[in-house]
Amino acid sequence: MHIMEGFLPASHALGWTLVSAPFVVAGAVSLRRIVRDRPEARLTLAAAGAFTFILSALKLPSVTGSCSHPTGTGLGAIAFGPSVMAVIGTIVLLFQGLLLAHGGLTTLGANVFSMGIAGPWVGWAVWKAATAARLPATVAVFLGAALADLATYVVTSFELALAFPDPASGFVGAFVKFAGIFAVTQLPLAIAEGFLVVVVMAALVGRGAGGVVRPIEGVR
């Protein structure tokens, strides 16, 4: 998913940075509130960040200028809300761009929007809807985590298609091509990530983190 350094046109790179910036600022406010009101949540927040960093660093070759990998953002989005993941995602992507040459600085805004904003919000909304529908907690967590992953790649396909429309079929044709290539690796990765997040959530609650990770108290 990480679009590599210098791959996007300058206007697109700047545009996605401007779009992402308000979400990151709002996320910082939300993160500060959580740390202030629930200081015991700091370790779990750190664990959510580490989880995102590790999973999103496991990259596979995919669309030219990008890659395919788990995202890990569903865990933090379900546990603390999607706003926080804009900040965590920015930190993760910044470190990966600087230390692992995975992503980049000019494409940071686009990568943050797809992985740190769109994915977590979709995952959280799906988890909330599944919970409201009284689905089992494990099913709700699985759906939220898996669809957070898939949403990230749908948005990345949108970003790439917007920047590089197909000469014959335009934006729509390019989007279908990018999304189709991503789907080969991302569908099984999203399913695997969904199951992994269920296991991690259950482990956190089992270790007494239920008071910290409040949304998953029903996971067993």
Side-chain angles (χ1 to χ4, degrees), residues 39-145:
E40 72 279 6
R42 292 178 182 178
L43 288 179
T44 311
L45 280 166
F51 187 78
T52 299
F53 183 91
I54 293 171
L55 260 65
S56 61
L58 304 174
K59 58 182 179 179
L60 299 171
S62 189
V63 175
T64 300
S66 186
C67 59
S68 190
H69 56 76
T71 64
T73 58
L75 177 69
I78 294 171
F80 297 104
S83 293
V84 170
M85 294 312 297
V87 178
I88 292 178
T90 299
I91 295 171
V92 165
L93 289 164
L94 183 60
F95 271 84
Q96 288 179 347
L98 293 173
L99 302 179
L100 304 178
H102 186 23
L105 298 181
T106 61
T107 56
L108 182 63
N111 290 331
V112 166
F113 187 80
S114 59
M115 194 179 94
I117 299 169
W121 274 98
V122 169
W124 176 82
V126 169
W127 171 79
K128 288 286 286 185
T131 301
R134 299 185 181 277
L135 293 179
T138 51
V139 174
V141 170
F142 170 83
L143 291 174

Side-chain angles (χ1 to χ4, degrees), residues 165-174 177:
D166 186 88
S169 54
F171 167 81
V172 174
K177 290 179 182 178

Side-chain angles (χ1 to χ4, degrees), residues 2-56:
H2 294 17
I3 301 173
M4 71 180 187
E5 177 66 35
F7 192 72
L8 291 178
S11 59
H12 287 250
L14 177 60
W16 287 114
T17 298
L18 294 176
V19 170
S20 298
F23 290 93
V24 176
V25 172
V29 173
S30 179
L31 180 61
R32 182 179 180 182
R33 184 183 305 114
I34 290 172
V35 172
R36 182 194 64 205
D37 298 340
R38 298 159 58 190
E40 72 279 6
R42 292 178 182 178
L43 288 179
T44 311
L45 280 166
F51 187 78
T52 299
F53 183 91
I54 293 171
L55 260 65
S56 61

Side-chain angles (χ1 to χ4, degrees), residues 125-165:
V126 169
W127 171 79
K128 288 286 286 185
T131 301
R134 299 185 181 277
L135 293 179
T138 51
V139 174
V141 170
F142 170 83
L143 291 174
L147 290 176
D149 182 305
L150 289 178
T152 295
Y153 285 86
V154 171
V155 173
T156 301
S157 298
F158 176 87
E159 293 171 337
L160 291 172
L162 200 63
F164 306 103

